[in-house]
Amino acid sequence: MSHVYLSRELTPGAMAALRSLDLPVVVHDDPDRPPSRDRLLRDAAGASALITLLTERVDDELLDAAGPDLRIVANCAVGYDNVSVAAAHARGIVVTNTPGVLDEATADCAFGLVLATARRLVEADRFLRAGTDWIWGPQLFVGLDLSAGATLGIVGLGRIGLAVARRAAAFGMRILATGRRAAGAEAAAYGVEQVELPRLLAESDVVTLHCPLTPDTRHLIGPDELAAMKPTAILVNTARGPIVDESALVDALRRGEIAGAGLDVFEDEPRVHPALLEMDSVVVLPHIASAGRATRDAMGRLAVDNVRAVLAGEPPRTPVQA
Ligand code: GLV
């Protein structure tokens, strides 16, 4: 059997699960950096399975380089905008992702960004670390109250959006949402009101994005959408960077069209727009929303189990549909 290629080492648990399959395994030798494109094309050649991350572009070129033995691309992420699913399916190659196992971790991080931006936690931390002379004061770092009836707008109420809604309900927030689960029973239990995007943008104190990146959602939040938000509002993005027009976001923040942003993802990762790094009202994270220990282990194990299933001639557990 030809090898399983991994573009990065996974958790010890996931690696042990993979090794127990008794297949030849080739793992990229740098745990901290993805392979160069040339290296990826070379090392994938002849593989029966590729376990990829969002740092790899899986396209015609890579699939051709892998060759005719390739049966599965197991993307170790819930998002699969880095994979040309059509190109894989045209070759009869299965594509899988890792849905379900990272909902809570991602929602925790999204809500962490909501709290950090609304209550200016990172800015206040920087203030103290700078050795600033301070004394308690009634106006010191005042921010947005979340529990006093603030409105959270969830763009894309899927599994992760629903997990965010659960947290917002516990905080006593009013919740608006777009997306396929917004009309469901669980959403109703959290008091979610299903609305169209324009109303969500106009009425929300915090807008949080949880839709996948597709041709339809690229720059879903652009200059007009930002201008439609309240000047006191905050934008949180733990989904994919290109859902937001990042230059338009910088302009909107500079003009005071919105008050702040909490960002785990960027339009051109790993580059972060330098202006965002200068703004106290912006909290930035290096794409870590799913980085819980158990979550990352579950993602890796699910990717491995998809490989196991497909190479054994069984249906994959979490296939990406065409
Ligand atoms: C992470 O961004 C993922 O899509 O799992």
Side-chain angles (χ1 to χ4, degrees):
M1 174 77 75
S2 41
H3 66 283
V4 177
Y5 173 74
L6 289 88
S7 59
R8 217 87 65 84
E9 181 150 330
L10 303 175
T11 60
M15 292 308 293
L18 180 59
R19 306 245 185 239
S20 76
L21 301 182
D22 224 11
L23 298 165
V25 171
V26 174
V27 191
H28 178 56
D29 51 14
D30 186 341
D32 300 322
R33 298 239 140 227
S36 67
R37 186 72 182 173
D38 282 353
R39 183 83 192 273
L40 175 66
L41 296 174
R42 212 167 48 240
D43 288 351
S48 55
L50 302 180
I51 299 183
T52 52
L53 304 177
L54 55 86
T55 40
E56 280 72 61
R57 200 175 69 248
V58 182
D59 56 6
D60 283 305
E61 182 186 38
L62 177 58
L63 298 171
D64 285 343
D69 288 348
L70 186 63
R71 312 241 309 262
I72 173 170
V73 173
N75 205 45
C76 193
V78 66
Y80 51 86
D81 45 280
N82 59 311
V83 180
S84 171
V85 178
H89 286 175
R91 292 166 172 78
I93 297 164
V94 172
V95 177
T96 60
N97 64 341
T98 60
V101 295
L102 46 69
D103 303 344
E104 302 301 327
T106 305
D108 284 345
C109 189
F111 220 81
L113 282 172
V114 172
L115 284 164
T117 45
R119 293 298 308 277
R120 305 173 58 187
L121 302 182
V122 179
E123 190 187 346
D125 177 273
R126 272 196 301 264
F127 166 87
L128 274 194
R129 285 174 197 272
T132 319
D133 185 29
W134 73 285
I135 187 82
W136 188 91
Q139 293 303 320
L140 188 64
F141 285 107
V142 292
L144 171 72
D145 286 302
L146 295 179
S147 304
T151 299
L152 180 73
I154 301 175
V155 178
L157 199 75
R159 282 178 304 263
I160 297 171
L162 204 52
V164 172
R166 193 178 316 126
R167 287 155 178 76
F171 270 71
M173 297 183 82
R174 172 177 173 244
I175 308 169
L176 305 177
T178 67
R180 66 195 155 88
R181 284 179 205 232
E186 193 178 351
Y190 305 140
V192 175
E193 194 182 341
Q194 185 174 24
V195 296
E196 298 297 325
L197 185 61
R199 189 170 149 213
L200 181 148
L201 294 172
E203 294 186 17
S204 297
D205 297 296
V206 180
V207 173
T208 182
L209 306 179
H210 298 289
C211 51
L213 174 62
T214 66
D216 288 343
T217 63
R218 184 172 292 275
H219 285 194
L220 180 70
I221 305 298
D224 294 346
E225 290 71 26
L226 291 159
M229 289 170 64
K230 296 182 185 181
T232 49
I234 288 163
L235 179 70
V236 169
N237 190 4
T238 53
R240 282 291 183 271
I243 297 169
V244 177
D245 176 342
E246 206 163 87
S247 310
L249 173 62
V250 167
D251 290 346
L253 287 161
R254 278 188 177 136
R255 284 201 291 263
E257 282 174 2
I258 68 169
L263 306 170
D264 183 48
V265 289
F266 303 92
E267 192 162 357
D268 185 23
E269 286 178 23
R271 176 184 178 270
V272 179
H273 193 305
L276 295 172
L277 299 174
E278 301 293 319
M279 295 179 184
D280 274 336
S281 58
V282 175
V283 177
V284 286
L285 302 177
H287 203 147
I288 56 167
S290 68
R293 256 182 225 105
T295 299
R296 283 286 163 83
D297 193 47
M299 291 167 69
R301 286 173 186 270
L302 181 52
V304 168
D305 204 41
N306 276 312
V307 167
R308 180 204 57 74
V310 169
L311 296 188
E314 296 169 17
R317 283 182 54 194
T318 49
V320 169
Q321 307 299 344

